[in-house]
């Protein structure tokens, strides 16, 4: 096995999203002056997947979806390879391949994010229709075009996760007749307990959304009227477009099989090192410690991707300069946090939604808000907050719901220390 004994080969960053950009910033801020070779499969500046639904819904312009300016990226002095996707990462030989060439690296950060999946979508019987999905700017462009098409009046969203709900909001913003079908009994899969989800559902219904919960799409057939859907309950409906948000899969297919420890994503330590000392991973492609469970999990949120990228960049800069990686660089883990508003109904959550034997749930309802707390009895007999949901009937920037959310998030984080 070739070892990265010299610093002459570049540091490689595969994937140019928030994890990749923050890795590059941290490398430079930590004094690394060598070549940083970034492998990007997009021809634009790095974009924010968070903003794609706002673009599709007409709330943001195309340019507003790019958090970093051309000048800010240029300042990092990166060697950006736009050869299309990386097709192979071979950790044993320290080599990265694209369709057009092979490149050596000294250290590599994998920051390739995730791809939306249509698991369980049966396809359209007599047509090659591809459902709408949402992650990249190309996805957003396709969604926007579909929603703005005057012949599109009826949108069916399959899935009840954050991404599904943001897609639904984009449809509502275009005044479409919106239906959401979800296999679970409530929306906000895995992020909300029923009490909070029910209030959110009330908000959606008030906006005219038809909810078909506890069911799924059984079959779809193209007819003259549109896409005729039969649901698992036997009910039917006809739609002009179908969006599917059935989860994400980490982009790791290009990694030489067996070369790195993989679970659902690349398993990393608290410096974002994979099982190979010269390969790091950050963002939605990394499985670091989730602080409440103590397990290695994907925490697929923007802040985590940014922090993990920064951690990997700083750790590599230290290693290559021969200095010890400082304790302050360590990322002991993270917790999941989510904030979503759909046309004025707000939902904020953090921590775990697993109600295990040693946990209790408390619900406090007020006129405009439901707050659900999940407490855990510790071994010392103390009660610590490990999760919460807030659903508020209005989304007032900087309002009380946001204050409570920030305070409870800090409380959960403090309990993890
Ligand atoms: C619709 C939507 C809404 C969201 N809303 C929120 C929110 O409100 N709050 C929040 O915290 N998080 C949200 N998220 C999640 C958040 O966007 C992600 O956690 C974050 O962007 C992950 O960053 P990343 O750098 O790991 O991945 P990405 O930003 O996806 O970047 C990965 C990059 O790698 C590229 N790539 C992939 N494969 C290859 C390859 N083989 N070679 C080269 N390049 C490759 C990809 O094209 C992409 O450019 C949302 C996500 C979506 C899709």
């Amino acid at each position: 096995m070739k070892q990265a004994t010299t610093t002459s080969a570049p540091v490689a960053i595969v994937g140019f999203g928030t994890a990749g950009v923050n890795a590059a910033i941290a490398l430079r801020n930590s004094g690394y002056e060598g070549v940083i070779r970034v492998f990007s499969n997009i021809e634009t500046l790095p974009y924010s997947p968070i903003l794609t639904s706002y673009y599709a819904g007409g709330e943001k312009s195309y340019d507003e979806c790019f958090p970093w300016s051309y000048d800010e990226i240029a300042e990092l002095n990166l060697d950006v390879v736009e050869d299309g996707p990386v097709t192979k990462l071979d950790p044993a030989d320290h080599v990265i391949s694209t369709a057009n060439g092979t490149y050596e690296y000294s250290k590599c950060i994998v920051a390739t994010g995730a791809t939306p999946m249509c698991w369980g979508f049966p396809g359209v019987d007599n047509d090659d229709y591809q459902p709408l999905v949402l992650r990249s700017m190309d996805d957003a462009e396709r969604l926007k075009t579909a929603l703005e098409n005057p012949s599109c009046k009826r949108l069916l969203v399959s899935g009840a996760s954050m991404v599904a709900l943001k897609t639904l909001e984009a449809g509502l913003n275009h005044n479409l007749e919106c239906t959401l079908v979800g296999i679970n009994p409530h929306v906000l899969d895995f992020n909300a307990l029923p009490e909070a989800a029910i209030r959110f559902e009330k908000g959606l219904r008030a906006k005219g959304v038809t909810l078909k919960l506890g069911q799924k799409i059984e079959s779809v057939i193209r007819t003259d009227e549109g896409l005729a859907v039969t649901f698992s309950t036997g009910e039917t409906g006809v739609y002009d477009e179908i969006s599917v948000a059935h989860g994400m899969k980490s982009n790791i297919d290009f990694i030489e099989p067996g070369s790195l420890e993989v679970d659902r994503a690349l398993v990393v330590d608290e410096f974002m090192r994979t099982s190979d000392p010269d390969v790091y991973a950050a963002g939605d492609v990394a499985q670091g410690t989730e602080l409440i469970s103590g397990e290695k999990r994907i925490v697929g949120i923007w802040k985590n991707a940014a922090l993990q990228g920064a951690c990997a960049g700083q750790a590599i800069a230290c290693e290559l300069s021969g200095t010890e990686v400082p304790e302050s660089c360590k990322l002991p883990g993270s917790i999941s946090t989510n904030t979503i508003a759909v046309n004025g109904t707000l939902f904020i959550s953090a921590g775990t939604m697993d109600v295990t034997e040693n946990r209790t749930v408390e619900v406090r309802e007020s006129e405009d808000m439901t707050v659900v707390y999940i407490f855990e009895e510790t071994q010392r007999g103390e009660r610590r907050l490990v999760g919460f949901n807030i659903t508020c009937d209005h989304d007032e920037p900087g309002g009380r719901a946001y204050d409570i959310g920030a305070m409870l998030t800090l409380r959960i984080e403090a309990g993890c220390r």
Side-chain angles (χ1 to χ4, degrees):
M1 181 190 284
K2 268 195 214 167
Q3 293 296 326
T5 47
T6 72
T7 56
S8 53
V11 170
I13 298 175
V14 184
F16 208 20
T18 185
V21 174
N22 279 283
I25 293 170
L27 275 158
R28 291 297 183 224
N29 285 350
S30 307
Y32 177 72
E33 290 177 353
V35 177
I36 302 176
R37 182 165 288 152
V38 177
F39 295 84
S40 178
N41 67 347
I42 50 170
E43 286 170 5
T44 62
L45 287 167
Y47 60 89
S48 165
I50 299 176
L51 302 175
T52 52
S53 70
Y54 300 100
Y55 171 60
E59 290 174 83
K60 293 230 176 270
S61 70
Y62 183 83
D63 288 349
E64 283 175 306
C65 298
F66 299 87
W68 296 276
S69 69
Y70 178 84
D71 289 346
E72 282 164 334
I73 296 294
E75 257 180 39
L76 296 169
N77 190 20
L78 307 174
D79 171 18
V80 182
V81 178
E82 286 177 356
D83 270 4
V86 164
T87 51
K88 191 171 169 188
L89 168 65
D90 183 346
D93 284 342
H94 287 75
V95 166
I96 286 169
S97 308
T98 67
N100 299 316
T102 56
Y103 304 81
E104 285 200 345
Y105 66 84
S106 55
K107 301 271 181 188
C108 172
I109 302 169
V110 179
T112 42
T115 299
M117 302 305 289
C118 294
W119 292 302
F121 179 70
V124 179
D125 266 1
N126 54 347
D127 202 89
D128 59 1
Y129 175 81
Q130 294 299 313
L132 302 163
V133 294
L134 194 54
R135 174 87 192 191
S136 66
M137 286 310 292
D138 286 350
D139 298 334
E141 201 73 77
R142 187 173 163 237
L143 178 63
K144 187 177 170 68
T145 305
L147 301 183
E148 285 177 352
N149 184 338
S151 66
C152 179
K153 307 255 185 272
R154 301 156 298 182
L155 172 69
L156 174 65
V157 175
S158 180
S161 63
M162 299 282 178
V163 175
L165 291 166
K166 292 313 285 183
T167 307
L168 187 80
E169 185 184 50
L172 289 171
N173 287 346
H174 288 290
N175 296 317
L176 303 188
E177 203 182 298
C178 292
T179 302
L180 181 139
V181 55
I183 198 157
N184 294 318
H186 295 290
V187 298
L188 292 159
D189 298 345
F190 314 116
N191 289 307
L193 292 185
E195 294 82 353
I198 287 167
R199 187 162 204 146
F200 200 84
E201 288 157 15
K202 226 168 103 190
L204 293 177
R205 288 195 180 97
K207 312 280 173 334
V209 176
T210 302
L211 295 178
K212 290 181 168 294
L213 298 172
Q215 52 188 299
K216 61 181 181 141
I217 298 175
E218 199 67 54
S219 65
V220 188
I221 184 162
R222 167 83 69 187
T223 66
D224 290 346
E225 282 74 42
L227 297 161
V229 174
T230 303
F231 297 96
S232 51
T233 51
E235 289 171 50
T236 58
V238 181
Y239 306 93
D240 302 305
E241 291 286 355
I242 301 176
S243 155
V244 175
H246 289 182
M248 300 273 172
K249 180 176 174 288
S250 297
N251 293 322
I252 50 174
D253 289 350
F254 60 92
I255 294 166
E256 181 70 7
S259 61
L260 300 175
E261 187 186 348
V262 172
D263 180 24
R264 294 182 64 190
L266 291 169
V267 178
V268 293
D269 69 10
E270 57 225 329
F271 295 107
M272 300 304 116
R273 256 186 237 116
T274 66
S275 53
D276 180 299
D278 294 328
V279 180
Y280 291 62
D284 288 8
V285 78
Q287 220 173 304
T289 303
E290 192 280 328
L291 287 172
I292 292 164
S293 62
E295 291 173 2
K296 299 274 182 183
R297 291 187 182 172
I298 302 167
V299 178
I301 57 171
W302 177 268
K303 182 180 165 193
N304 193 42
L307 290 175
Q308 289 187 338
C311 171
Q314 191 187 348
I316 289 175
C318 291
E319 280 193 28
L320 292 179
S321 68
T323 54
E324 205 174 316
V325 185
E327 279 292 300
S328 59
C329 167
K330 213 186 238 182
L331 201 63
S334 51
I335 61 166
S336 180
T337 58
N338 287 290
T339 301
I340 184 172
V342 175
N343 283 23
T345 304
L346 175 65
F347 174 78
I348 305 173
S349 76
T352 183
M353 297 302 121
D354 287 342
V355 185
T356 49
E357 255 180 25
N358 59 341
R359 291 180 186 158
T360 48
V361 175
E362 265 180 45
V363 181
R364 293 180 206 162
E365 302 252 13
S366 63
E367 205 178 308
D368 62 347
M369 211 185 297
T370 298
V371 187
V372 179
Y373 303 80
I374 304 170
F375 291 103
E376 182 176 274
E377 179 97 20
T378 67
Q379 283 177 342
R380 282 184 293 173
E382 290 158 359
R383 232 164 62 118
R384 74 166 180 145
L385 186 71
V386 291
F388 76 86
N389 295 161
I390 298 172
T391 306
C392 183
D393 299 340
H394 47 86
D395 174 22
E396 186 196 331
R400 206 164 63 88
Y402 284 99
D403 283 347
I404 297 173
M407 188 253 301
L408 294 179
T409 304
L410 286 175
R411 228 173 112 182
I412 296 175
E413 285 172 346
C416 292
R417 279 185 213 120

